[in-house]
Amino acid sequence: MNKTWCIHPFTQLATITDGRIVPCCIAKPYKNVNLNDMTVKEIWNHSDILSLRQKLLNGEEVDNCRVCYDDELHGISTHRIQSNSNFEKLYGISDKDFTSPELDITNLVALDLRLGNTCNLKCIMCRPQESHKWFDDVVAMRKINLPPVVSADMDDKFNYNRNDYNWINKKVFWDNIDEILPNIKEFIFGGGEPFMLKEVKKLLNKAIELDTAKNLSIRFHTNGTYMHPKDFEILKHFKRIQLMFSVDGVNEINHFLRYPAQWDSIIEIIEENEKYGPNIESSMLCSLTSVSAFYLDQLYDFVDSKKWNKLPLKNLYLGRVHDPSYLNPQTLDTRRKKIIEDKFNRLMKDYPLVKSTLESNLNWILGDSGNNVTVDDTLEYVKNLCSVRNIDPNVLHEFLED
């Protein structure tokens, strides 16, 4: 296994919500590969993907995967490292199975699909591309005198092409899905909110109809606010289910960060899952932004206090937010970083089982972002977003105070 090898381009196709293909969920898209006008089978050995695979076989770095390379410089166990290990453990597939960039379609064993931007929340780091609810707030924010880096980001969010999000309803996507599904071992559904997307249920029902569900593992990245007890019924048909709840803080903090999430409804669904069999698992993903990092201690203490069987503290994962740049916690000032450092040090003392995760992410936060964004850009964004959404900024008084 060389220093750039990653299992994903050899075993998986991943999309973003407009149908473009990415090597994995945190990588940059390929330039010319899109499900709007190509079938999955046509894409599998597209020249752009063949070129990337060959570079990985050669041990060369590729621009699409820069996030993992940069994070590994901070000693972080990245998505690349974890995925290489997990695929071998779960499916017996590793780097030694691949010597050529061109692969038969039977090597495609995982589909990581963002089947649309329909969502009921509008998280602070998100965009209309991932949540259609964001657009009205973008319009409102563009009327405010914002810092240049925030203003430019709002312009980008405003100019997205809504017509690019219909690929999942086109015949071209479904043309050879019957041929592909028997080989698939894993679905990963993000969003949008996957439990709001009728196309997700259509694909699940197709797997049940083809009698392949019993061989499938599924991971849902869900905000936990739109699930219903009846959703658990369809999940019983599948081999293994992972419900990864996107939660960035406790109660009012999460309400701001994943607006307008209602805390009680999220906890109700997490606890509902405690009743079901072992094939439905739970975990939590906290997007590590400037604000969530500041209040992360509250989330760790809360999860530990619940003593959930399916969601112990070790199942709380941290996703580092690099973009938008003004929410990257590396851009915070020395005073706020010192507060975060003290909180992390206390957590590492209280919860030694997750010390390595906290330590590596703290090292990343204390590092340099390499851009010209400042904490003032972050504070202006947060204050104006509170104003647009009629949120009392006193909820964040500890973070906002000078």
Side-chain angles (χ1 to χ4, degrees):
M1 188 179 292
N2 62 50
K3 66 179 181 178
T4 70
W5 165 262
C6 183
I7 192 73
H8 285 304
F10 296 83
T11 58
Q12 172 185 278
L13 280 183
T15 76
I16 50 182
T17 51
D18 63 4
R20 284 181 292 168
I21 300 296
V22 289
C24 80
C25 60
I26 63 171
K28 293 181 180 178
Y30 298 104
K31 288 183 179 179
N32 304 301
V33 192
N34 198 307
L35 279 167
N36 266 291
D37 47 28
M38 285 182 268
T39 66
V40 170
K41 196 170 183 179
E42 290 169 339
I43 284 171
W44 184 235
N45 283 310
H46 188 279
S47 58
D48 286 5
I49 298 179
L50 293 179
S51 175
L52 183 138
R53 286 177 187 154
Q54 186 62 63
K55 288 179 179 178
L56 295 184
L57 287 169
N58 295 342
E60 301 173 36
E61 292 188 355
V62 293
D63 289 339
N64 308 68
C65 305
R66 184 59 51 194
V67 167
C68 277
Y69 304 148
D70 290 347
D71 282 353
E72 285 165 18
L73 295 176
H74 295 277
I76 291 171
S77 180
T78 60
H79 190 52
R80 181 186 80 87
I81 294 171
Q82 293 169 3
S83 298
N84 288 344
S85 174
N86 290 340
F87 252 80
E88 185 155 16
K89 288 176 184 175
L90 290 173
Y91 305 122
I93 299 172
S94 71
D95 59 330
K96 61 181 175 291
D97 297 309
F98 303 99
T99 56
S100 169
E102 189 162 352
L103 301 170
D104 189 81
I105 193 66
T106 56
N107 289 106
L108 173 60
V109 297
L111 289 173
D112 185 346
L113 302 173
R114 272 64 178 159
L115 298 180
N117 64 336
T118 300
C119 188
N120 59 328
L121 302 186
K122 34 190 176 181
C123 306
I124 65 163
M125 65 287 181
C126 205
R127 309 172 296 165
Q129 287 89 333
E130 285 83 38
S131 171
H132 74 291
K133 287 282 189 180
W134 239 107
F135 192 74
D136 288 344
D137 285 357
V138 169
V139 172
M141 290 285 280
R142 291 177 81 237
K143 296 177 182 177
I144 300 170
N145 185 23
L146 298 167
V149 65
V150 182
S151 180
D153 187 45
M154 292 300 144
D155 288 344
D156 178 65
K157 290 174 177 174
F158 180 79
N159 291 319
Y160 89 106
N161 186 353
R162 301 185 192 192
N163 294 326
D164 290 340
Y165 296 82
N166 295 320
W167 59 271
I168 188 60
N169 295 312
K170 294 181 178 179
K171 182 176 180 293
V172 68
F173 173 76
W174 297 95
D175 270 351
N176 48 34
I177 208 72
D178 288 15
E179 177 185 353
I180 292 164
L181 277 182
N183 302 309
I184 299 297
K185 299 180 185 295
E186 184 175 27
F187 278 142
I188 303 167
F189 293 120
E193 166 51 44
F195 286 99
M196 292 184 73
L197 296 167
K198 63 181 184 299
E199 293 82 9
V200 169
K201 291 181 180 177
K202 180 179 178 180
L203 200 53
L204 295 182
N205 284 320
K206 174 65 75 172
I208 293 170
E209 174 191 327
L210 295 174
D211 197 30
T212 65
K214 61 190 177 186
N215 304 317
L216 268 168
S217 295
I218 307 177
R219 185 167 83 236
F220 292 91
H221 290 258
T222 175
N223 61 44
T225 67
Y226 203 81
M227 286 187 68
H228 304 283
K230 65 180 181 181
D231 289 320
F232 287 93
E233 295 303 315
I234 192 172
L235 302 183
K236 292 179 180 179
H237 293 274
F238 293 85
K239 178 181 177 182
R240 178 173 177 250
I241 302 294
Q242 292 176 286
L243 298 176
M244 183 167 274
F245 295 96
S246 298
V247 178
D248 292 350
V250 175
N251 210 338
E252 290 181 325
I253 300 300
N254 195 62
H255 180 73
F256 168 75
L257 293 170
R258 292 190 170 272
Y259 183 80
Q262 298 301 311
W263 184 246
D264 289 345
S265 66
I266 298 169
I267 302 307
E268 181 182 350
I269 287 296
I270 292 175
E271 294 186 340
E272 178 74 20
N273 188 34
E274 289 286 303
K275 305 173 186 176
Y276 287 86
N279 73 313
I280 306 181
E281 305 166 9
S282 291
S283 59
M284 189 177 285
L285 177 64
C286 171
S287 295
L288 207 56
T289 63
S290 302
V291 184
S292 67
F294 198 86
Y295 295 100
L296 188 66
D297 58 325
Q298 297 178 10
L299 185 58
Y300 268 80
D301 289 340
F302 175 82
V303 173
D304 180 67
S305 73
K306 297 302 291 184
K307 307 301 180 187
W308 286 315
N309 290 322
K310 290 191 177 186
L311 213 169
L313 205 56
K314 66 182 179 66
N315 286 10
L316 199 170
Y317 301 103
L318 303 178
R320 293 166 296 281
V321 172
H322 296 262
D323 185 52
S325 57
Y326 51 86
L327 287 176
N328 180 337
Q330 294 177 312
T331 65
L332 291 172
D333 58 309
T334 302
R335 185 185 72 82
R336 288 177 176 82
K337 283 189 176 184
K338 181 62 170 66
I339 293 173
I340 291 172
E341 183 177 15
D342 290 344
K343 291 181 176 183
F344 271 55
N345 283 334
R346 196 273 293 174
L347 290 173
M348 285 187 276
K349 181 180 177 181
D350 289 352
Y351 308 120
L353 286 177
V354 293
K355 180 180 177 180
S356 60
T357 295
L358 290 164
E359 190 171 40
S360 60
N361 280 283
L362 176 60
N363 289 338
W364 173 71
I365 292 170
L366 297 179
D368 185 2
S369 67
N371 58 45
N372 296 320
V373 179
T374 71
V375 67
D376 291 333
D377 298 318
T378 308
L379 296 177
E380 282 299 304
Y381 171 72
V382 170
K383 290 174 183 176
N384 282 296
L385 194 61
C386 283
S387 177
V388 164
R389 294 179 174 176
N390 198 28
I391 295 173
D392 184 356
N394 285 324
V395 170
L396 306 167
H397 67 91
E398 188 184 2
F399 177 77
L400 292 175
E401 69 181 3
D402 294 331

